[in-house]
Amino acid sequence: MSLAESWDRYAVESKPRRTVNAKGETTWLNWTQYADHGPNESVLGPVAGRRVLELGSGSGSNLAHLVTLGATGQGVDIAPARETVARERWGNLPGLEFRTAEATAFLKETDETFDVVLSIFGAVWFADPDTLLPLIRSRMAPGGILAFSHLPPGSQGPKPAKAGLRHDRTPDEWARILTGHGFSDVCVSLIDPPEGRTAGTMLVRALAA
């Protein structure tokens, strides 16, 4: 089974995201693995008028929320089933596109430039950062924002069979790696889990120097 096939099987078996959150909102951004928990899109600053790329866009819900705030969005996911679901749910939203592609392949092929790149439990966690980060930086506007989240190092969680190595890094390691690949102002925060849960979330934000 190929990497794409593994992710596609995982996507098909995944539970769909809710259509309304606890606040009654129909679109929202969630950085953590828990519903109604953690910071919102303010991590990215104002997004209106900005070109946003999400690597590992899943069902498209996070990116769709940013588009409702005035951004234009490109979602990329390795699983064909993810693109199908995203288009079915958000295909009528102007300024939003979805594509099935492996993240590094997409970045090598595109000639677009992005103001914001995000990855929520997505490609940054599963692709070699020494390969992926230079490609991300090459497609970012100066001063653009890269933000991503995943489990802290050593945490356990579900993942597709044969999905490849998770690139867990400590906060200091992420700061060093990002700085070495042309990013600055690196900020790594650990978001505590909700009551009754044990695994928090690591959230990383950096600027394209």
Side-chain angles (χ1 to χ4, degrees), residues 89-126:
R89 185 162 182 181
W90 306 111
N92 63 342
L93 196 60
L96 181 58
E97 302 173 358
F98 295 102
R99 177 177 170 182
T100 299
E102 190 273 328
T104 60
F106 170 82
L107 291 164
K108 290 175 181 177
E109 295 170 2
T110 187
D111 58 1
E112 292 189 75
T113 300
F114 300 93
D115 303 298
V116 178
V117 177
L118 67 152
S119 172
I120 300 175
F121 287 72
V124 174
W125 201 18
F126 290 96

mmCIF file of all heavy atoms in Angstrom, residues 89-126:
data_model
loop_
_atom_site.group_PDB
_atom_site.id
_atom_site.type_symbol
_atom_site.label_atom_id
_atom_site.label_comp_id
_atom_site.label_asym_id
_atom_site.label_seq_id
_atom_site.Cartn_x
_atom_site.Cartn_y
_atom_site.Cartn_z
ATOM 1 N N ARG A 89 -18.318 20.012 0.693
ATOM 2 C CA ARG A 89 -18.781 20.876 1.783
ATOM 3 C C ARG A 89 -18.545 22.364 1.514
ATOM 4 O O ARG A 89 -19.352 23.214 1.890
ATOM 5 C CB ARG A 89 -18.086 20.469 3.077
ATOM 6 C CG ARG A 89 -18.592 21.222 4.299
ATOM 7 C CD ARG A 89 -18.225 20.517 5.560
ATOM 8 N NE ARG A 89 -18.753 21.206 6.734
ATOM 9 C CZ ARG A 89 -18.570 20.806 7.982
ATOM 10 N NH1 ARG A 89 -17.888 19.692 8.215
ATOM 11 N NH2 ARG A 89 -19.069 21.479 9.001
ATOM 12 N N TRP A 90 -17.423 22.677 0.860
ATOM 13 C CA TRP A 90 -17.019 24.081 0.738
ATOM 14 C C TRP A 90 -16.838 24.545 -0.705
ATOM 15 O O TRP A 90 -16.383 25.659 -0.940
ATOM 16 C CB TRP A 90 -15.713 24.322 1.487
ATOM 17 C CG TRP A 90 -15.741 23.893 2.909
ATOM 18 C CD1 TRP A 90 -15.069 22.853 3.479
ATOM 19 C CD2 TRP A 90 -16.489 24.490 3.970
ATOM 20 N NE1 TRP A 90 -15.344 22.761 4.819
ATOM 21 C CE2 TRP A 90 -16.213 23.764 5.155
ATOM 22 C CE3 TRP A 90 -17.370 25.583 4.040
ATOM 23 C CZ2 TRP A 90 -16.788 24.081 6.385
ATOM 24 C CZ3 TRP A 90 -17.941 25.901 5.266
ATOM 25 C CH2 TRP A 90 -17.658 25.159 6.411
ATOM 26 N N GLY A 91 -17.209 23.714 -1.667
ATOM 27 C CA GLY A 91 -16.958 24.036 -3.068
ATOM 28 C C GLY A 91 -17.659 25.281 -3.573
ATOM 29 O O GLY A 91 -17.256 25.855 -4.588
ATOM 30 N N ASN A 92 -18.711 25.705 -2.888
ATOM 31 C CA ASN A 92 -19.437 26.906 -3.325
ATOM 32 C C ASN A 92 -18.887 28.190 -2.717
ATOM 33 O O ASN A 92 -19.430 29.266 -2.942
ATOM 34 C CB ASN A 92 -20.926 26.773 -2.973
ATOM 35 C CG ASN A 92 -21.157 26.690 -1.470
ATOM 36 O OD1 ASN A 92 -20.220 26.399 -0.713
ATOM 37 N ND2 ASN A 92 -22.393 26.926 -1.031
ATOM 38 N N LEU A 93 -17.786 28.083 -1.960
ATOM 39 C CA LEU A 93 -17.226 29.261 -1.297
ATOM 40 C C LEU A 93 -16.209 29.918 -2.224
ATOM 41 O O LEU A 93 -15.194 29.309 -2.557
ATOM 42 C CB LEU A 93 -16.556 28.842 0.015
ATOM 43 C CG LEU A 93 -16.226 29.917 1.042
ATOM 44 C CD1 LEU A 93 -17.489 30.632 1.499
ATOM 45 C CD2 LEU A 93 -15.510 29.296 2.236
ATOM 46 N N PRO A 94 -16.438 31.160 -2.659
ATOM 47 C CA PRO A 94 -15.502 31.816 -3.579
ATOM 48 C C PRO A 94 -14.126 32.003 -2.934
ATOM 49 O O PRO A 94 -14.014 32.221 -1.727
ATOM 50 C CB PRO A 94 -16.169 33.174 -3.849
ATOM 51 C CG PRO A 94 -17.612 32.978 -3.503
ATOM 52 C CD PRO A 94 -17.623 31.991 -2.370
ATOM 53 N N GLY A 95 -13.096 31.913 -3.742
ATOM 54 C CA GLY A 95 -11.749 32.164 -3.254
ATOM 55 C C GLY A 95 -11.105 30.991 -2.550
ATOM 56 O O GLY A 95 -10.092 31.155 -1.862
ATOM 57 N N LEU A 96 -11.663 29.784 -2.740
ATOM 58 C CA LEU A 96 -11.160 28.598 -2.045
ATOM 59 C C LEU A 96 -10.954 27.469 -3.040
ATOM 60 O O LEU A 96 -11.856 27.129 -3.808
ATOM 61 C CB LEU A 96 -12.151 28.183 -0.955
ATOM 62 C CG LEU A 96 -11.799 26.966 -0.095
ATOM 63 C CD1 LEU A 96 -10.463 27.156 0.614
ATOM 64 C CD2 LEU A 96 -12.905 26.728 0.929
ATOM 65 N N GLU A 97 -9.757 26.882 -3.040
ATOM 66 C CA GLU A 97 -9.434 25.789 -3.947
ATOM 67 C C GLU A 97 -8.844 24.620 -3.157
ATOM 68 O O GLU A 97 -8.165 24.823 -2.148
ATOM 69 C CB GLU A 97 -8.409 26.242 -4.991
ATOM 70 C CG GLU A 97 -8.856 27.430 -5.820
ATOM 71 C CD GLU A 97 -7.745 27.950 -6.719
ATOM 72 O OE1 GLU A 97 -6.630 27.393 -6.653
ATOM 73 O OE2 GLU A 97 -7.985 28.908 -7.459
ATOM 74 N N PHE A 98 -9.080 23.413 -3.653
ATOM 75 C CA PHE A 98 -8.518 22.221 -3.036
ATOM 76 C C PHE A 98 -7.842 21.381 -4.110
ATOM 77 O O PHE A 98 -8.281 21.334 -5.258
ATOM 78 C CB PHE A 98 -9.598 21.393 -2.336
ATOM 79 C CG PHE A 98 -10.234 22.094 -1.175
ATOM 80 C CD1 PHE A 98 -11.491 22.666 -1.303
ATOM 81 C CD2 PHE A 98 -9.569 22.207 0.042
ATOM 82 C CE1 PHE A 98 -12.085 23.332 -0.234
ATOM 83 C CE2 PHE A 98 -10.151 22.870 1.104
ATOM 84 C CZ PHE A 98 -11.406 23.434 0.968
ATOM 85 N N ARG A 99 -6.762 20.697 -3.699
ATOM 86 C CA ARG A 99 -6.000 19.871 -4.641
ATOM 87 C C ARG A 99 -5.427 18.665 -3.915
ATOM 88 O O ARG A 99 -4.990 18.767 -2.767
ATOM 89 C CB ARG A 99 -4.871 20.700 -5.249
ATOM 90 C CG ARG A 99 -3.981 19.912 -6.199
ATOM 91 C CD ARG A 99 -2.944 20.797 -6.826
ATOM 92 N NE ARG A 99 -1.951 20.020 -7.545
ATOM 93 C CZ ARG A 99 -0.913 20.550 -8.163
ATOM 94 N NH1 ARG A 99 -0.727 21.851 -8.158
ATOM 95 N NH2 ARG A 99 -0.042 19.765 -8.787
ATOM 96 N N THR A 100 -5.454 17.529 -4.578
ATOM 97 C CA THR A 100 -4.804 16.334 -4.049
ATOM 98 C C THR A 100 -3.355 16.312 -4.519
ATOM 99 O O THR A 100 -3.082 16.290 -5.723
ATOM 100 C CB THR A 100 -5.511 15.059 -4.537
ATOM 101 O OG1 THR A 100 -6.871 15.067 -4.080
ATOM 102 C CG2 THR A 100 -4.810 13.819 -4.006
ATOM 103 N N ALA A 101 -2.435 16.352 -3.579
ATOM 104 C CA ALA A 101 -1.009 16.320 -3.903
ATOM 105 C C ALA A 101 -0.217 16.094 -2.638
ATOM 106 O O ALA A 101 -0.653 16.456 -1.533
ATOM 107 C CB ALA A 101 -0.562 17.629 -4.563
ATOM 108 N N GLU A 102 0.945 15.491 -2.767
ATOM 109 C CA GLU A 102 1.891 15.411 -1.656
ATOM 110 C C GLU A 102 2.507 16.794 -1.487
ATOM 111 O O GLU A 102 2.777 17.493 -2.469
ATOM 112 C CB GLU A 102 2.946 14.351 -1.972
ATOM 113 C CG GLU A 102 3.836 13.997 -0.809
ATOM 114 C CD GLU A 102 5.029 14.921 -0.704
ATOM 115 O OE1 GLU A 102 5.506 15.393 -1.767
ATOM 116 O OE2 GLU A 102 5.479 15.179 0.417
ATOM 117 N N ALA A 103 2.738 17.210 -0.251
ATOM 118 C CA ALA A 103 3.097 18.600 0.032
ATOM 119 C C ALA A 103 4.364 19.052 -0.688
ATOM 120 O O ALA A 103 4.392 20.131 -1.295
ATOM 121 C CB ALA A 103 3.249 18.792 1.536
ATOM 122 N N THR A 104 5.432 18.247 -0.605
ATOM 123 C CA THR A 104 6.685 18.688 -1.232
ATOM 124 C C THR A 104 6.545 18.740 -2.751
ATOM 125 O O THR A 104 7.106 19.636 -3.397
ATOM 126 C CB THR A 104 7.858 17.769 -0.831
ATOM 127 O OG1 THR A 104 7.588 16.430 -1.239
ATOM 128 C CG2 THR A 104 8.067 17.796 0.677
ATOM 129 N N ALA A 105 5.791 17.807 -3.332
ATOM 130 C CA ALA A 105 5.583 17.814 -4.775
ATOM 131 C C ALA A 105 4.829 19.077 -5.197
ATOM 132 O O ALA A 105 5.179 19.718 -6.202
ATOM 133 C CB ALA A 105 4.822 16.566 -5.209
ATOM 134 N N PHE A 106 3.800 19.440 -4.446
ATOM 135 C CA PHE A 106 3.043 20.648 -4.761
ATOM 136 C C PHE A 106 3.939 21.883 -4.710
ATOM 137 O O PHE A 106 3.909 22.734 -5.610
ATOM 138 C CB PHE A 106 1.872 20.807 -3.788
ATOM 139 C CG PHE A 106 1.200 22.146 -3.895
ATOM 140 C CD1 PHE A 106 0.257 22.378 -4.885
ATOM 141 C CD2 PHE A 106 1.515 23.181 -3.019
ATOM 142 C CE1 PHE A 106 -0.355 23.630 -5.002
ATOM 143 C CE2 PHE A 106 0.905 24.421 -3.121
ATOM 144 C CZ PHE A 106 -0.031 24.650 -4.119
ATOM 145 N N LEU A 107 4.732 22.001 -3.657
ATOM 146 C CA LEU A 107 5.574 23.183 -3.486
ATOM 147 C C LEU A 107 6.645 23.285 -4.571
ATOM 148 O O LEU A 107 7.040 24.387 -4.959
ATOM 149 C CB LEU A 107 6.223 23.162 -2.105
ATOM 150 C CG LEU A 107 5.248 23.374 -0.939
ATOM 151 C CD1 LEU A 107 5.887 22.952 0.380
ATOM 152 C CD2 LEU A 107 4.786 24.815 -0.872
ATOM 153 N N LYS A 108 7.116 22.146 -5.060
ATOM 154 C CA LYS A 108 8.095 22.155 -6.148
ATOM 155 C C LYS A 108 7.478 22.589 -7.469
ATOM 156 O O LYS A 108 8.141 23.195 -8.312
ATOM 157 C CB LYS A 108 8.723 20.774 -6.305
ATOM 158 C CG LYS A 108 9.653 20.369 -5.183
ATOM 159 C CD LYS A 108 10.145 18.938 -5.364
ATOM 160 C CE LYS A 108 11.064 18.498 -4.228
ATOM 161 N NZ LYS A 108 11.476 17.073 -4.381
ATOM 162 N N GLU A 109 6.189 22.295 -7.641
ATOM 163 C CA GLU A 109 5.519 22.549 -8.915
ATOM 164 C C GLU A 109 4.878 23.928 -9.007
ATOM 165 O O GLU A 109 4.831 24.521 -10.087
ATOM 166 C CB GLU A 109 4.442 21.487 -9.154
ATOM 167 C CG GLU A 109 4.980 20.079 -9.329
ATOM 168 C CD GLU A 109 3.879 19.040 -9.309
ATOM 169 O OE1 GLU A 109 2.698 19.431 -9.196
ATOM 170 O OE2 GLU A 109 4.197 17.837 -9.385
ATOM 171 N N THR A 110 4.388 24.460 -7.894
ATOM 172 C CA THR A 110 3.637 25.706 -7.949
ATOM 173 C C THR A 110 4.547 26.906 -8.157
ATOM 174 O O THR A 110 5.707 26.901 -7.747
ATOM 175 C CB THR A 110 2.808 25.896 -6.660
ATOM 176 O OG1 THR A 110 1.956 27.046 -6.822
ATOM 177 C CG2 THR A 110 3.695 26.121 -5.440
ATOM 178 N N ASP A 111 3.988 27.930 -8.788
ATOM 179 C CA ASP A 111 4.705 29.196 -8.907
ATOM 180 C C ASP A 111 4.014 30.291 -8.097
ATOM 181 O O ASP A 111 4.347 31.466 -8.201
ATOM 182 C CB ASP A 111 4.839 29.619 -10.371
ATOM 183 C CG ASP A 111 3.480 29.762 -11.072
ATOM 184 O OD1 ASP A 111 2.432 29.550 -10.418
ATOM 185 O OD2 ASP A 111 3.466 30.077 -12.273
ATOM 186 N N GLU A 112 3.054 29.887 -7.275
ATOM 187 C CA GLU A 112 2.335 30.842 -6.429
ATOM 188 C C GLU A 112 3.157 31.227 -5.208
ATOM 189 O O GLU A 112 4.021 30.480 -4.736
ATOM 190 C CB GLU A 112 1.012 30.245 -5.962
ATOM 191 C CG GLU A 112 -0.005 30.052 -7.043
ATOM 192 C CD GLU A 112 -1.355 29.671 -6.472
ATOM 193 O OE1 GLU A 112 -2.032 30.563 -5.924
ATOM 194 O OE2 GLU A 112 -1.718 28.493 -6.556
ATOM 195 N N THR A 113 2.871 32.402 -4.680
ATOM 196 C CA THR A 113 3.468 32.877 -3.437
ATOM 197 C C THR A 113 2.362 33.055 -2.403
ATOM 198 O O THR A 113 1.276 33.542 -2.735
ATOM 199 C CB THR A 113 4.200 34.218 -3.653
ATOM 200 O OG1 THR A 113 5.238 34.032 -4.617
ATOM 201 C CG2 THR A 113 4.833 34.714 -2.357
ATOM 202 N N PHE A 114 2.671 32.693 -1.157
ATOM 203 C CA PHE A 114 1.654 32.728 -0.106
ATOM 204 C C PHE A 114 2.082 33.630 1.040
ATOM 205 O O PHE A 114 3.263 33.725 1.370
ATOM 206 C CB PHE A 114 1.396 31.309 0.402
ATOM 207 C CG PHE A 114 0.913 30.371 -0.666
ATOM 208 C CD1 PHE A 114 1.812 29.591 -1.381
ATOM 209 C CD2 PHE A 114 -0.425 30.283 -0.972
ATOM 210 C CE1 PHE A 114 1.383 28.741 -2.382
ATOM 211 C CE2 PHE A 114 -0.875 29.430 -1.980
ATOM 212 C CZ PHE A 114 0.036 28.658 -2.684
ATOM 213 N N ASP A 115 1.091 34.280 1.646
ATOM 214 C CA ASP A 115 1.331 35.143 2.807
ATOM 215 C C ASP A 115 1.272 34.361 4.105
ATOM 216 O O ASP A 115 1.894 34.745 5.102
ATOM 217 C CB ASP A 115 0.283 36.265 2.856
ATOM 218 C CG ASP A 115 0.248 37.094 1.600
ATOM 219 O OD1 ASP A 115 1.271 37.723 1.285
ATOM 220 O OD2 ASP A 115 -0.794 37.076 0.914
ATOM 221 N N VAL A 116 0.500 33.289 4.103
ATOM 222 C CA VAL A 116 0.312 32.452 5.292
ATOM 223 C C VAL A 116 0.368 30.994 4.868
ATOM 224 O O VAL A 116 -0.267 30.605 3.880
ATOM 225 C CB VAL A 116 -1.048 32.737 5.983
ATOM 226 C CG1 VAL A 116 -1.242 31.817 7.179
ATOM 227 C CG2 VAL A 116 -1.152 34.194 6.406
ATOM 228 N N VAL A 117 1.117 30.195 5.608
ATOM 229 C CA VAL A 117 1.128 28.748 5.404
ATOM 230 C C VAL A 117 0.826 28.102 6.752
ATOM 231 O O VAL A 117 1.451 28.452 7.758
ATOM 232 C CB VAL A 117 2.483 28.245 4.874
ATOM 233 C CG1 VAL A 117 2.466 26.727 4.740
ATOM 234 C CG2 VAL A 117 2.817 28.890 3.537
ATOM 235 N N LEU A 118 -0.120 27.191 6.786
ATOM 236 C CA LEU A 118 -0.445 26.511 8.027
ATOM 237 C C LEU A 118 -0.540 25.012 7.807
ATOM 238 O O LEU A 118 -0.775 24.534 6.698
ATOM 239 C CB LEU A 118 -1.728 27.047 8.668
ATOM 240 C CG LEU A 118 -3.054 26.821 7.961
ATOM 241 C CD1 LEU A 118 -4.195 26.779 8.979
ATOM 242 C CD2 LEU A 118 -3.330 27.955 6.978
ATOM 243 N N SER A 119 -0.308 24.285 8.889
ATOM 244 C CA SER A 119 -0.366 22.823 8.876
ATOM 245 C C SER A 119 -0.817 22.383 10.261
ATOM 246 O O SER A 119 -0.084 22.548 11.229
ATOM 247 C CB SER A 119 1.013 22.241 8.543
ATOM 248 O OG SER A 119 1.033 20.842 8.712
ATOM 249 N N ILE A 120 -2.028 21.868 10.348
ATOM 250 C CA ILE A 120 -2.607 21.462 11.623
ATOM 251 C C ILE A 120 -2.649 19.938 11.666
ATOM 252 O O ILE A 120 -3.454 19.319 10.980
ATOM 253 C CB ILE A 120 -4.009 22.081 11.808
ATOM 254 C CG1 ILE A 120 -3.905 23.613 11.771
ATOM 255 C CG2 ILE A 120 -4.642 21.604 13.108
ATOM 256 C CD1 ILE A 120 -5.242 24.333 11.814
ATOM 257 N N PHE A 121 -1.705 19.350 12.413
ATOM 258 C CA PHE A 121 -1.544 17.903 12.436
ATOM 259 C C PHE A 121 -1.394 17.389 10.996
ATOM 260 O O PHE A 121 -1.932 16.362 10.632
ATOM 261 C CB PHE A 121 -2.738 17.228 13.143
ATOM 262 C CG PHE A 121 -2.732 17.428 14.627
ATOM 263 C CD1 PHE A 121 -3.024 18.668 15.192
ATOM 264 C CD2 PHE A 121 -2.427 16.384 15.475
ATOM 265 C CE1 PHE A 121 -3.000 18.855 16.566
ATOM 266 C CE2 PHE A 121 -2.411 16.562 16.857
ATOM 267 C CZ PHE A 121 -2.689 17.807 17.401
ATOM 268 N N GLY A 122 -0.653 18.143 10.192
ATOM 269 C CA GLY A 122 -0.552 17.856 8.775
ATOM 270 C C GLY A 122 0.864 17.589 8.310
ATOM 271 O O GLY A 122 1.664 16.955 9.013
ATOM 272 N N ALA A 123 1.190 18.103 7.136
ATOM 273 C CA ALA A 123 2.427 17.734 6.445
ATOM 274 C C ALA A 123 3.690 18.056 7.236
ATOM 275 O O ALA A 123 4.675 17.319 7.161
ATOM 276 C CB ALA A 123 2.478 18.437 5.089
ATOM 277 N N VAL A 124 3.686 19.145 7.993
ATOM 278 C CA VAL A 124 4.894 19.505 8.733
ATOM 279 C C VAL A 124 5.248 18.439 9.763
ATOM 280 O O VAL A 124 6.413 18.265 10.126
ATOM 281 C CB VAL A 124 4.733 20.887 9.405
ATOM 282 C CG1 VAL A 124 5.914 21.206 10.302
ATOM 283 C CG2 VAL A 124 4.587 21.974 8.338
ATOM 284 N N TRP A 125 4.270 17.696 10.197
ATOM 285 C CA TRP A 125 4.513 16.646 11.188
ATOM 286 C C TRP A 125 5.068 15.375 10.548
ATOM 287 O O TRP A 125 5.761 14.593 11.189
ATOM 288 C CB TRP A 125 3.215 16.325 11.916
ATOM 289 C CG TRP A 125 3.381 15.658 13.247
ATOM 290 C CD1 TRP A 125 4.493 15.600 14.026
ATOM 291 C CD2 TRP A 125 2.372 14.943 13.969
ATOM 292 N NE1 TRP A 125 4.249 14.907 15.188
ATOM 293 C CE2 TRP A 125 2.939 14.495 15.175
ATOM 294 C CE3 TRP A 125 1.026 14.663 13.715
ATOM 295 C CZ2 TRP A 125 2.231 13.765 16.115
ATOM 296 C CZ3 TRP A 125 0.312 13.946 14.656
ATOM 297 C CH2 TRP A 125 0.913 13.499 15.844
ATOM 298 N N PHE A 126 4.773 15.173 9.266
ATOM 299 C CA PHE A 126 5.105 13.906 8.637
ATOM 300 C C PHE A 126 6.168 13.991 7.549
ATOM 301 O O PHE A 126 6.667 12.963 7.108
ATOM 302 C CB PHE A 126 3.833 13.266 8.051
ATOM 303 C CG PHE A 126 2.889 12.770 9.106
ATOM 304 C CD1 PHE A 126 1.831 13.547 9.534
ATOM 305 C CD2 PHE A 126 3.071 11.529 9.693
ATOM 306 C CE1 PHE A 126 0.959 13.096 10.516
ATOM 307 C CE2 PHE A 126 2.204 11.062 10.666
ATOM 308 C CZ PHE A 126 1.151 11.847 11.086
#
